[in-house]
Amino acid sequence: MVDHLANTEINSQRIAAVENCFGASGQPLAVPGRVLLGEGILTKECRKKPKPRIFFLFNDILVYGSIVINKRKYNSQHIIPLEDVTLETLPDTLQMKNRWMIKTSKKSFVVSAASLTERKEWINHLEECIGHLLTKTGRQHSTGHAPLRVCNLCYRQLLAEKKKEAEAEGRQPEPSRSAIPGYEPSSGDDSDKSDDDKADQWPADTEFYTSEVSWSSFHS
């Protein structure tokens, strides 16, 4: 797929469109050999509450940002090198379904897709790109990852579950806020820029996700 799309006019147009949507606030994305493979809206578990974010999958990086006007304007651009990424499928919760964790050495976070099918597509394409990059560079999968940042509500729920487990086993629960291996309560440092300023401009009455609507697409 990458060989087929590389150096084509349609690929150049797609990348230029993404750059235009981020405007001056984003970084240049067009480099030789880079291919835009897919895009879509995923829900990212942020500090205050889950929020929709636009994601773009390239053959070497994952780009995401906040939605101002869908397909027209995005901001708070983040770029993640894929060779530093590992993935972990997560169980559903009452609030979120079709979840998985994107783990890197600097930042780890949880996203969810509109459907189980879309989660499978994202994970399959991500793993294919990551595997290709590691084979090309001769590197191994990264083993050191930042804890998963979860919202304060989820962290309190996890902490309460750990406390119940400890009491059931006759152990004294840990007093530290960081008593859950692999999890850290979210902080301002982990939040997207738009999480702490004015509310996102995404229409308040938009329902995520509506049925029979594909929120992600992949190019071939």
Side-chain angles (χ1 to χ4, degrees), residues 3-220:
D3 294 337
H4 174 70
L5 291 173
N7 303 317
T8 63
E9 182 63 25
I10 186 64
N11 180 61
S12 298
Q13 291 174 356
R14 287 167 177 163
I15 295 177
V18 176
E19 290 180 329
N20 289 337
C21 285
F22 280 105
S25 66
Q27 297 295 316
L29 299 172
V31 300
R34 178 169 288 167
V35 175
L36 177 58
L37 297 175
E39 59 193 73
I41 295 176
L42 301 173
T43 298
K44 179 177 178 288
E45 297 186 8
C46 298
R47 184 170 71 90
K48 294 181 180 179
K49 63 179 181 179
K51 293 185 177 181
R53 293 287 181 257
I54 185 69
F55 280 78
F56 297 96
L57 174 61
F58 295 82
N59 59 326
D60 61 337
I61 58 173
L62 181 66
V63 177
Y64 73 92
S66 300
I67 302 168
V68 181
I69 304 174
N70 192 30
K71 298 184 178 181
R72 291 179 60 189
K73 186 176 181 181
Y74 309 124
N75 60 21
S76 301
Q77 185 190 73
H78 294 70
I79 300 177
I80 302 174
L82 286 182
E83 58 187 17
D84 189 37
V85 170
T86 57
L87 309 173
E88 179 184 348
T89 303
L90 300 176
D92 292 347
T93 66
L94 292 176
Q95 296 82 14
M96 306 285 290
K97 299 183 183 298
N98 312 310
R99 304 163 68 235
W100 76 95
M101 191 191 315
I102 297 173
K103 301 189 289 186
T104 76
S105 59
K106 295 182 179 179
K107 183 175 183 178
S108 299
F109 56 93
V110 176
V111 294
S112 65
S115 66
L116 193 61
T117 298
E118 289 191 26
R119 181 179 73 170
K120 183 178 179 180
E121 288 181 329
W122 273 102
I123 291 177
N124 286 347
H125 282 88
L126 280 163
E127 289 182 339
E128 183 178 349
C129 291
I130 294 167
H132 179 75
L133 282 172
L134 294 179
T135 299
K136 184 178 179 180
T137 60
R139 290 182 52 183
Q140 300 294 320
H141 274 287
S142 177
T143 57
H145 302 105
L148 161 59
R149 295 284 181 174
V150 295
C151 70
N152 293 332
L153 175 60
C154 291
Y155 190 83
R156 287 195 295 270
Q157 291 176 340
L158 289 166
L159 204 60
E161 292 173 5
K162 281 292 182 181
K163 182 178 179 181
K164 288 181 180 179
E165 291 177 6
E167 291 174 347
E169 296 173 2
R171 294 184 287 107
Q172 187 68 24
E174 295 283 345
S176 169
R177 286 193 81 218
S178 300
I180 308 174
Y183 293 87
E184 288 287 346
S186 190
S187 65
D189 293 338
D190 185 61
S191 300
D192 291 343
K193 179 180 178 181
S194 61
D195 288 347
D196 290 318
D197 51 28
K198 64 182 181 180
D200 287 358
Q201 298 181 49
W202 186 266
D205 58 350
T206 301
E207 182 181 350
F208 286 92
Y209 295 98
T210 56
S211 61
E212 299 181 2
V213 173
S214 179
W215 288 86
S216 300
S217 60
F218 297 92
H219 309 306
S220 58

